[in-house]
Amino acid sequence: MEITELDYTLPADLIAQEPLKERHKARLLVLHRDTCQIEHRVFFEIVEYFTEGDMLVINNSKVIPARLLVKKPTGGKLEILLIKEKFSTERETVWEIITRGNYEGEVFINGNRAELRWDEKGRVMIFKGMNSQSVRQLMYEKGFMPLPPYIKRKPSFIDQEYYQTVYAKKEGSIAAPTAGLHFTEELLEKIKQKGVLIREITLHVGIGTFKPIKVKEIEKHKMDEEFFEIRKDLIEEIQLVKKAGNRIFSTGTTTTRALEGYASGRYVDVGSNDRYIKGVTDIFICPGYEFKVIDALITNFHLPKSSPLALVSALCGVDKVKKAYSEAIKLKYRFFSYGDAMLIL
């Protein structure tokens, strides 16, 4: 499949720049795969699409304030995006980073000294005299939420709350699992009261989720590895739900990649134990993939030529996605991270 099939034109004014103050009042486009029927609803009405015995799986990963402003010895400033910690001792901590330009050398942040260097895999930031805990404390004191580049404003205090799901628990993501941003605690409680099982997994969202597909034939695209954690008893519950004829609703492409990465065997074990499956997966889901776990997907509207859009197209077909996106654009839905939602049944 060629990458041009995942392209579309989006008016810039449809890219949401601010979150909705009432998360659950985002618009919801419902796409029925079997009939290609499209409905236009409000997100809190999603309760109506669940039946007793279904399961809703959510990603409880928490976004870290991974954007830092550092100063060069000359006084110039650089913006750093911390990607993941590589290793740490009591005397120094090394993080993989992304930053513009090719500067190497000493930088300062809040009186602390660090160095920017290249290693065999890319850019790193070496925090001098700081252990892992000290770096994380610095991040929370001086860091900003890592809003995506298509949000053309500086992060503000509202992003501390709204660029985070209400059920976020486990720190590690450098971008929000945005499909879950629309849920409130009250809405989740209503879904639960309907007899739906709500279960959590963890997948820490990395930079790979947002890297554009640059190859002509999308099957050749390579995803970066992302860490996931799934309780072993959840796998058994999923099997029982499906055996009973009920559905697995996945909240977002990140949740889907964790579940399908495990189920397809496309992962490397990194310390599973009696309770948890812990692994890293680089699964790339595109048209032609046969889903093994999920039956329905709650998601946002994704960038052209992106891996999340490829996943959505794999679930319901490219033509149906194009029809849904065309209608969403016509009706001025809000797109991307702070945008509106889509339910694929």
Side-chain angles (χ1 to χ4, degrees):
M1 176 179 174
E2 293 194 0
I3 186 60
T4 52
E5 295 185 59
L6 295 180
D7 198 12
Y8 68 93
T9 300
L10 179 70
D13 63 343
L14 296 186
I15 301 174
Q17 299 296 310
E18 302 283 346
L20 287 180
K21 295 300 188 296
E22 295 181 280
R23 303 168 179 259
H24 61 300
K25 291 186 178 180
R27 297 168 75 182
L28 177 67
L29 186 150
V30 182
L31 173 61
H32 297 264
R33 285 181 285 164
D34 54 348
T35 63
C36 208
Q37 177 191 359
I38 293 174
E39 299 178 70
H40 301 284
R41 308 293 293 270
V42 182
F43 192 81
F44 63 76
E45 296 175 324
I46 199 170
V47 180
E48 299 175 21
Y49 294 93
F50 291 95
T51 57
E52 183 178 356
D54 288 340
M55 178 185 287
L56 172 65
V57 187
I58 56 180
N59 180 6
N60 65 14
S61 184
K62 189 173 184 178
V63 184
I64 58 176
R67 288 174 65 174
L68 294 175
L69 281 176
V70 302
K71 287 186 178 180
K72 302 178 188 178
T74 59
K77 294 182 179 180
L78 281 175
E79 184 175 289
I80 306 293
L81 177 61
L82 302 176
I83 303 299
K84 63 181 178 182
E85 183 181 297
K86 299 192 71 172
F87 67 86
S88 180
T89 68
E90 284 302 311
R91 295 187 300 275
E92 98 177 4
T93 299
V94 179
W95 274 73
E96 178 185 339
I97 67 164
I98 290 177
T99 187
R100 292 181 179 177
N102 295 312
Y103 176 78
E104 283 193 87
E106 195 172 49
V107 293
F108 299 90
I109 176 171
N110 198 36
N112 297 284
R113 189 169 70 88
E115 289 184 16
L116 299 186
R117 292 282 182 261
W118 290 88
D119 71 5
E120 69 281 359
K121 292 187 178 180
R123 301 296 292 276
V124 296
M125 186 167 177
I126 306 167
F127 293 87
K128 299 293 186 178
M130 301 181 71
N131 60 22
S132 180
Q133 184 176 352
S134 298
V135 173
R136 289 183 180 275
Q137 183 177 345
L138 176 67
M139 187 190 309
Y140 275 93
E141 289 176 354
K142 296 297 179 180
F144 301 92
M145 293 301 268
L147 297 182
Y150 48 75
I151 294 181
K152 305 297 184 182
R153 62 173 176 81
K154 293 181 179 180
S156 69
F157 71 94
I158 65 169
D159 300 306
Q160 301 289 341
E161 175 183 357
Y162 285 98
Y163 197 63
Q164 198 81 269
T165 63
V166 298
Y167 46 77
K169 295 178 182 176
K170 298 186 177 182
E171 295 180 347
S173 282
I174 62 164
T178 55
L181 295 180
H182 309 290
F183 284 109
T184 62
E185 292 175 356
E186 293 78 12
L187 180 55
L188 288 168
E189 183 60 30
K190 286 183 179 180
I191 293 171
K192 185 178 179 180
Q193 289 175 359
K194 197 166 183 179
V196 176
L197 302 170
I198 300 179
R199 298 293 185 262
E200 299 179 6
I201 60 93
T202 303
L203 182 136
H204 292 320
V205 186
I207 197 67
T209 295
F210 300 96
K211 283 185 177 178
I213 300 174
K214 294 183 177 180
V215 292
K216 182 178 179 180
E217 298 175 0
I218 68 169
E219 293 82 3
K220 295 179 180 179
H221 178 66
K222 302 295 183 183
M223 293 287 291
D224 291 358
E225 291 181 339
E226 292 173 317
F227 172 84
F228 72 88
E229 183 177 87
I230 303 173
R231 287 198 336 271
K232 287 186 174 180
D233 59 2
L234 174 56
I235 300 300
E236 297 173 3
E237 277 193 293
I238 288 173
Q239 292 170 348
L240 291 173
V241 167
K242 294 179 77 70
K243 188 176 181 180
N246 291 103
R247 298 165 296 170
I248 305 298
F249 283 71
S250 178
T251 306
T253 59
T254 61
T255 302
T256 302
R257 291 184 68 246
L259 294 172
E260 297 291 335
Y262 168 73
S264 66
R266 187 64 186 258
Y267 75 101
V268 176
D269 192 285
V270 293
S272 298
N273 54 40
D274 291 341
R275 293 186 60 199
Y276 288 96
I277 299 156
K278 298 184 180 184
V280 292
T281 181
D282 65 353
I283 188 170
F284 173 49
I285 298 175
C286 63
Y289 177 81
E290 293 186 11
F291 287 83
K292 299 166 180 59
V293 180
I294 78 161
D295 302 297
L297 176 64
I298 302 163
T299 190
N300 279 23
F301 293 93
H302 301 292
L303 277 76
K305 300 181 180 181
S306 65
S307 59
L309 185 57
L311 187 153
V312 171
S313 300
L315 182 63
C316 61
V318 175
D319 290 341
K320 292 177 184 177
V321 171
K322 286 183 175 179
K323 178 183 177 182
Y325 273 48
S326 177
E327 191 156 330
I329 291 169
K330 180 180 178 181
L331 296 177
K332 297 189 180 301
Y333 273 68
R334 300 164 71 247
F335 275 60
F336 306 161
S337 293
Y338 274 147
D340 294 315
M342 187 174 180
L343 171 62
I344 302 172
L345 295 171

